[in-house]
Amino acid sequence: MRILHVWDQAGVACIFAKFQIKNGHQSKVIRIEGDKYGIYQFYKDYVTNVQKDEFVDRCLEEARGAEIIHIHGPINILFALRRKFGRSKTIILHYLGTDIRGLNPSEKQTTYDLPSIPSIIKDIIFKKIQGLPLPKDYIHILAQNLADLVLVATPDLIQYVDRAVYLPIPVDTEHFVPDGIPEQKKCALTFNTEVTDISRAIDYCNKNNIHLDIEVYDRTRNPIMYSEMPAFLKRYQIYVDIRYIKQTILKNLSSTALQSLASGLRVLDYQLKYREIFPIEHDPVTLTRQLLKLYTVKNKRFSSYLWYLAFRVSRR
């Protein structure tokens, strides 16, 4: 099977490509160059980096020989692919988090309040005549229905997508492995990132009588290279995985928490419970097998043809 991963978030596409190749398939990741955390240098054997102004054209070029096109976020590429290849290619749309979670509650769609296809087509034609842009939620709805399958990386994202399939994120367990030699370690670690409210997380711990000596490390100002992450994590006993985004606490384990568990740390989760065992559902070998089965699902619903018609009308 020939698989093209378009874009990547947190190394997810790279890990899938690595283990798909181990399964005997042809797989590669194409993305815009830039590597703040050294992920794409680490997985350089599976990645093609291109300049921003070449990205769309190179995606279309690489897609010619691919049987499966797995898009990790950027829906503009999905539109370009459908415009170029029609319905001849199997296209997977994969939401990892902020790419869909960032919609405002008023824009959030569920299976119970989706606009009807006729109303979408009507609005598309009207806005096309008026020269107005489509609302962000309509763009996502259109993209989801043009895809053969929509995947989400965390259970909370299901509410944003009609007929989504939950596929846990993989962790490279060949890179993140337990340290067999016990040594003196610091108490606890948590990361401050661009989107998390770290002061609220610390306050949440204190109010619930969790008094750990927590070191807050700012990854945005001082990036840790992906190759060095296992060794860095192993300096600590506990990873504190309490994340607030827009005053809402996230109820899934972060990638870093999963990497910590795979590296032998304990993790304090949002329920203030300690976890010690790496969840087998994030094993890359198992997930790669599941994903390969999902790739065989082709969207043959009659409504998908109507959505494709709406898309063609919107692009005239």
Side-chain angles (χ1 to χ4, degrees):
M1 188 180 291
R2 297 184 300 275
I3 305 157
L4 176 66
H5 293 272
V6 177
W7 199 243
D8 178 273
Q9 297 187 56
V12 168
C14 294
I15 295 170
F16 277 132
K18 172 183 174 178
F19 285 89
Q20 285 166 348
I21 290 171
K22 283 177 174 287
N23 274 268
H25 301 280
Q26 297 178 35
S27 186
K28 68 166 63 174
V29 179
I30 184 169
R31 60 179 304 280
I32 297 172
E33 58 187 5
D35 195 7
K36 182 176 181 180
Y37 297 103
I39 294 173
Y40 310 107
Q41 174 61 29
F42 187 84
Y43 291 112
K44 62 182 183 298
D45 292 342
Y46 319 112
V47 178
T48 298
N49 292 293
V50 301
Q51 295 183 1
K52 185 176 181 179
D53 59 356
E54 300 174 349
F55 184 57
V56 175
D57 289 341
R58 284 294 301 275
C59 286
L60 295 175
E61 180 184 334
E62 296 286 348
R64 287 184 181 277
E67 298 169 72
I68 306 295
I69 304 165
H70 188 149
I71 300 174
H72 297 257
I75 58 178
N76 63 307
I77 298 298
L78 187 152
F79 295 141
L81 288 164
R82 280 293 185 233
R83 192 160 53 244
K84 178 74 173 179
F85 299 107
R87 292 179 50 82
S88 65
K89 298 288 184 181
T90 296
I91 299 179
I92 312 297
L93 178 60
H94 198 161
Y95 288 117
L96 273 294
T98 54
D99 43 9
I100 187 70
R101 191 185 286 122
L103 292 179
N104 295 326
S106 61
E107 296 175 314
K108 181 176 65 177
Q109 300 297 320
T110 72
T111 54
Y112 303 105
D113 60 4
L114 282 171
S116 66
I117 296 175
S119 69
I120 288 275
I121 295 175
K122 179 181 176 182
D123 281 353
I124 286 173
I125 294 173
F126 176 77
K127 292 184 181 299
K128 187 73 175 178
I129 293 172
Q130 297 294 318
L132 300 173
L134 285 176
K136 188 176 181 180
D137 55 342
Y138 275 26
I139 293 173
H140 278 276
I141 293 168
L142 183 56
Q144 291 160 21
N145 282 277
L146 288 174
D148 291 289
L149 179 69
V150 182
L151 303 175
V152 293
T154 59
D156 71 292
L157 298 179
I158 291 175
Q159 64 184 312
Y160 296 92
V161 182
D162 187 28
R163 290 180 292 276
V165 174
Y166 166 52
L167 185 75
I169 61 171
V171 173
D172 190 340
T173 51
E174 294 180 350
H175 182 45
F176 294 93
V177 296
D179 192 342
I181 304 174
E183 59 181 64
Q184 190 68 30
K185 299 176 184 288
K186 298 179 182 179
C187 180
L189 166 73
T190 195
F191 282 137
N192 187 24
T193 69
E194 298 96 333
V195 295
T196 54
D197 186 342
I198 196 65
S199 61
R200 193 181 184 102
I202 298 297
D203 187 55
Y204 178 70
C205 288
N206 292 333
K207 286 181 178 179
N208 287 277
N209 296 315
I210 302 294
H211 301 295
L212 296 172
D213 183 11
I214 304 173
E215 181 175 320
V216 179
Y217 189 93
D218 193 331
R219 293 183 70 186
T220 60
R221 295 183 179 180
N222 301 291
I224 303 166
M225 293 298 99
Y226 186 77
S227 60
E228 300 169 2
M229 269 293 286
F232 183 87
L233 293 172
K234 290 173 189 177
R235 298 176 189 172
Y236 302 86
Q237 302 173 46
I238 300 165
Y239 183 77
V240 178
D241 193 41
I242 299 170
R243 295 161 297 145
Y244 278 92
I245 295 180
K246 296 183 178 180
Q247 302 182 344
T248 300
I249 194 167
L250 299 187
K251 298 180 181 180
N252 64 289
L253 291 175
S254 67
S255 295
T256 307
L258 293 167
Q259 293 166 356
S260 297
L261 287 170
S263 301
L265 282 74
R266 300 167 70 199
V267 167
L268 182 68
D269 68 14
Y270 78 98
Q271 294 177 307
L272 301 180
K273 294 180 180 179
Y274 287 99
R275 303 197 188 197
E276 299 183 3
I277 300 174
F278 175 73
I280 193 63
E281 60 266 28
H282 295 278
D283 173 71
V285 175
T286 303
L287 280 170
T288 299
R289 291 193 189 116
Q290 292 177 9
L291 183 56
L292 290 169
K293 290 180 181 178
L294 289 170
Y295 282 164
T296 64
V297 177
K298 186 74 175 175
N299 186 355
K300 295 181 180 180
R301 292 179 294 115
F302 177 70
S303 62
S304 69
Y305 291 91
L306 296 180
W307 284 108
Y308 181 67
L309 174 62
F311 168 70
R312 300 303 300 187
V313 169
S314 71
R315 292 301 186 268
R316 287 180 179 174

